Amino acid sequence: MNTDNITINTHSSIKIAGSKTIYFDPFEINDESKDADIIFVTHDHYDHFDPKSIECIANEKTILVAPESISKQVFAKSGIDESRCVFMAPHTKTKVEGLDVEAIPAYNKMKPFHTKGKKFLGYVVTMDETAYYVAGDTDINEDIVTVKCDVALVPIGGTYTMDINQALELVDTIRPKVVIPTHYGSVIGKNALGQKFAAEVAELGTDTRAEVKIK
């Protein structure tokens, strides 16, 4: 499976180009491309909800998708009109600009940073017959081990999210065709984590291929 259409800008800031141009958690973007058809926000922490980056990529038709639980912050700071905002609760599904979108819970089990009650999200977005799972900031938990996807973008940095061992357990459970590690290399976690994770995915002996996009 070709993943040349996927760019990790930094940390957990993801761009996927296809029939639509979609972004997840745009962060530290300075290029005013104004090319976003849809922007997905997983939660309201500064490294995931960055209004300045949203301003750089949004245009007058851009749709913003975010957790229902942070709708007030989005209204106040995103600069995107309410009529172009879609708010989702965990375990819900909808269509956005013709794409199937499923809201997956994202939370820590034993840490205080992203509690289940905050109703933060990851997303499975299907575009051009490929299902992309962007996990957001989460530990492995009972709500994500049933995800079905072709490409999984999962955090590996530890501290605030899954570490490498938990991410490997998730990959071995959900078996995507490709897994791409995120949430390391800038705010948390050294760059070397990506290559370490890829090597350990290869040792699982499954058909899943790991690709490292953060340089």
Side-chain angles (χ1 to χ4, degrees), residues 142-164:
E142 57 270 24
D143 286 300
I144 68 174
V145 294
T146 57
V147 164
K148 305 295 183 186
C149 65
D150 299 301
V151 180
L153 296 104
V154 299
I156 64 168
T159 306
Y160 305 108
T161 70
M162 289 185 279
D163 59 14
I164 282 181

Side-chain angles (χ1 to χ4, degrees), residues 39-77:
I39 299 169
F40 294 88
V41 173
T42 63
H43 62 292
D44 61 351
H45 292 166
Y46 79 95
D47 52 334
H48 296 263
F49 179 50
D50 178 7
K52 289 184 178 180
S53 291
I54 290 173
E55 183 179 1
C56 285
I57 62 176
N59 58 63
E60 67 279 1
K61 295 182 179 180
T62 300
I63 304 295
L64 188 142
V65 182
E68 197 172 65
S69 58
I70 65 167
S71 59
K72 290 182 179 179
Q73 294 95 310
V74 170
F75 284 147
K77 298 179 180 179

